[in-house]
Amino acid sequence: MAKDGEKDGWKEFIWNPRTREFLGRTASSWGLIILFYVVFYIFLAGLFALTMYVMLQTLDDHKPTWQDRLSTPGMVIRPKADETFEIAYSIKDTESWDMYAQTLDKFLSPYNNSVQTQKNDECTPDQYFLQEDSGDVKNNPKRSCQFNRTVLEECSGINDRYYGYQEGKPCIIIKLNRVIGMLPGKDGQAPYVSCAAKREDSDKIGELMYFPPNGTFNLMYYPYYGKKAQVNYSQPLVAVKFLNITTNQEVNIECRIFANNIPVGSERDKYAGRVSFKLRINTIPN
């Protein structure tokens, strides 16, 4: 009998036909609760939408309003075979180095003189190409300076379509990461790249050649105004040619950016202002 009473009690709690209550509340009570939560969540959604709208009004489509920028930009190299930054090939095995030449061809195709002449301007070298806005009037789209492939000379792939790989004198292309508004170098002194073997391989790297001369990033390519504002921007490049690096051994190399207003990257961030990679050229068949 007790079990029957408990069962009847649960039935009445779920639906009481005498008071017409469902789960202890009448229809009007449930209606008020549902209405309250509907209004409450509509209010929260409206408040969120209003907050987002106000925040979006403060943003600029062409330039980030807030920019937490590293004081030292990162560097990357091409060709890059994989995430290990290791370039290894055999001179006598064409397939082992042809992929590097093809990668450089693809990478440098936007720098063809014909493309650059059509899209970008001839700028005055050794000075910043400033294109400031006039108050609320945006100076967009902003123009970009030509970086012609021929500047890389022996590493341009024009006269030597294999970039020196076939004769054991390979070219490596280096570029700085894009940073909006960065002005690298001051007092007319352009930043430059310098490469060297790490301590254990200091006697293996041999002679280097840089293109453009001295491995400089000309000031006329700065500042960078962003992908939307400066659609045709061409990042400046530096090519390094290894003339007589030790063969049949792995050589650890590090390239750094130097400028009188860019701090030297810390040891805690191995990509700040530097890039490290391994280069091995085999002359003896495996």
Side-chain angles (χ1 to χ4, degrees):
M1 294 294 292
K3 290 184 177 179
D4 291 341
E6 290 179 5
K7 187 175 181 180
D8 291 340
W10 274 107
K11 285 182 178 180
E12 284 196 4
F13 175 72
I14 295 174
W15 171 248
N16 190 328
R18 290 179 291 101
T19 60
R20 304 186 67 80
E21 292 179 347
F22 177 68
L23 296 178
R25 292 183 180 276
T26 62
S28 59
S29 177
W30 279 115
L32 289 173
I33 290 175
I34 292 172
L35 178 63
F36 168 79
Y37 280 107
V38 168
V39 172
F40 177 68
Y41 284 114
I42 288 176
F43 171 76
L44 287 182
L47 183 62
F48 175 76
L50 178 63
T51 303
M52 291 297 295
Y53 174 78
V54 172
M55 185 189 70
L56 290 173
Q57 298 311 302
T58 67
L59 301 181
D60 189 327
D61 288 340
H62 298 91
K63 181 181 179 182
T65 304
W66 307 104
Q67 189 173 352
D68 185 14
R69 187 180 76 200
L70 292 172
S71 57
T72 307
M75 298 173 66
V76 294
I77 64 167
R78 294 292 185 274
K80 187 180 76 168
D82 51 38
E83 294 303 320
T84 62
F85 289 90
E86 184 172 353
I87 298 172
Y89 70 94
S90 175
I91 292 177
K92 296 183 179 180
D93 182 4
T94 304
E95 291 185 0
S96 69
W97 51 259
D98 187 57
M99 62 178 180
Y100 296 128
Q102 291 183 29
T103 299
L104 289 176
D105 267 338
K106 183 177 180 181
F107 175 70
L108 291 175
S109 60
Y111 293 92
N112 287 340
N113 290 23
S114 58
V115 176
Q116 291 292 313
T117 301
Q118 182 180 2
K119 296 168 58 176
N120 294 333
D121 297 353
E122 286 190 31
C123 300
T124 304
D126 304 324
Q127 65 182 43
Y128 295 127
F129 188 32
L130 299 173
Q131 303 172 76
E132 301 299 335
D133 299 327
S134 179
D136 293 332
V137 179
K138 302 297 182 183
N139 181 20
N140 293 324
K142 300 185 187 297
R143 295 173 295 155
S144 301
C145 296
Q146 294 179 18
F147 187 94
N148 293 316
R149 186 172 178 170
T150 49
V151 171
L152 301 179
E153 299 182 39
E154 293 182 28
C155 291
S156 66
I158 295 174
N159 296 323
D160 176 9
R161 60 188 295 260
Y162 300 122
Y163 301 91
Y165 282 80
Q166 82 286 5
E167 57 181 359
K169 299 178 180 181
C171 291
I172 303 295
I173 308 295
I174 299 173
K175 66 176 182 176
L176 278 179
N177 289 343
R178 299 183 186 190
V179 179
I180 294 177
M182 183 179 72
L183 298 173
K186 62 181 181 180
D187 301 327
Q189 298 182 32
Y192 66 94
V193 170
S194 181
C195 299
K198 293 189 176 181
R199 184 178 302 173
E200 65 273 18
D201 296 329
S202 58
D203 59 338
K204 300 176 184 178
I205 194 169
E207 187 180 356
L208 307 179
M209 287 184 68
Y210 295 91
F211 308 98
N214 303 317
T216 58
F217 292 106
N218 200 287
L219 297 180
M220 67 181 175
Y221 300 106
Y222 302 97
Y224 170 59
Y225 288 98
K227 189 174 183 179
K228 284 190 174 182
Q230 209 168 4
V231 179
N232 295 326
Y233 180 74
S234 297
Q235 285 178 265
L237 308 172
V238 166
V240 185
K241 188 175 183 68
F242 297 85
L243 298 179
N244 51 358
I245 193 168
T246 301
T247 57
N248 304 307
Q249 295 186 43
E250 188 177 83
V251 183
N252 293 278
I253 301 166
E254 182 176 82
C255 297
R256 293 193 178 199
I257 182 70
F258 291 92
N260 54 12
N261 66 342
I262 296 180
V264 177
S266 67
E267 292 299 325
R268 290 179 296 178
D269 188 350
K270 60 181 180 179
Y271 296 112
R274 71 184 78 179
V275 61
S276 298
F277 59 96
K278 298 176 181 179
L279 179 59
R280 181 186 180 98
I281 305 172
N282 294 320
T283 58
I284 303 173
N286 293 328

